[in-house]
Amino acid sequence: MIVSPFTADAVVRSGIARVTLAGELDMDTSRRVRDAVASCLATRPTSLCLDLTGISFCDCAGLNTLLTARITALEAGADFLVEGLGTPVARLLSLIGADTVFAGRQTPTSAGSPHRGTETVTARRDTAAATATSRVRDLLT
């Protein structure tokens, strides 16, 4: 079996941050994801997208890193989106009962987005984001 080296490429364009991950996401590589996410969020993007298309393996440490990235992005006031949610991560989410945590675009609550100006976020999205964040916090503690 050939193991590809892990990569975490971060790009911010026009206020949209994208972190593209490839390889095995585990305890040894989680730091690189946290660094890439922090680097992107330091630019105060309007949204953060994690592209997991290239993830070939994900353990619990990797899953924790992804869940923490989601919470961090939403608390920073950025929309959060995951693309390429493949079998390795989906299986772990299913095992812990968090299948819907990365489903679709997630929007921060209006109170958590000071740099958003007067953008209106519907009550439904506020409730969904708060519920998902609360559920993830419960899973992490």
Side-chain angles (χ1 to χ4, degrees):
M1 178 168 97
I2 298 173
V3 177
S4 301
F6 182 81
T7 58
D9 298 318
V11 176
V12 181
R13 288 192 186 112
S14 302
I16 299 178
R18 181 177 192 82
V19 179
T20 303
L21 305 175
E24 296 186 356
L25 180 53
D26 55 23
M27 186 169 48
D28 294 333
T29 59
S30 290
R31 178 87 211 162
R32 293 175 61 191
V33 176
R34 288 191 300 272
D35 291 347
V37 167
S39 172
C40 286
L41 292 177
T43 68
R44 299 180 54 97
T46 57
S47 66
L48 173 67
C49 176
L50 292 184
D51 183 350
L52 306 179
T53 305
I55 294 297
S56 58
F57 171 81
C58 184
D59 68 5
C60 292
L63 180 60
N64 183 42
T65 300
L66 296 175
L67 294 169
T68 301
R70 180 189 173 281
I71 290 170
T72 304
L74 293 174
E75 288 179 346
D79 291 346
F80 185 77
L81 178 65
V82 171
E83 294 178 351
L85 184 62
T87 304
V89 179
R91 186 174 73 89
L92 284 176
L93 288 170
S94 177
L95 288 171
I96 66 169
D99 311 67
T100 61
V101 172
F102 290 143
R105 178 178 293 274
Q106 293 154 27
T107 307
T109 62
S110 54
S113 52
H115 68 282
R116 293 234 176 229
T118 60
E119 181 179 336
T120 302
V121 179
T122 65
R124 183 171 154 228
R125 282 192 171 175
D126 282 350
T127 302
T131 301
T133 299
S134 175
R135 185 170 184 189
V136 170
R137 286 181 198 270
D138 290 346
L139 291 170
L140 294 175
T141 56

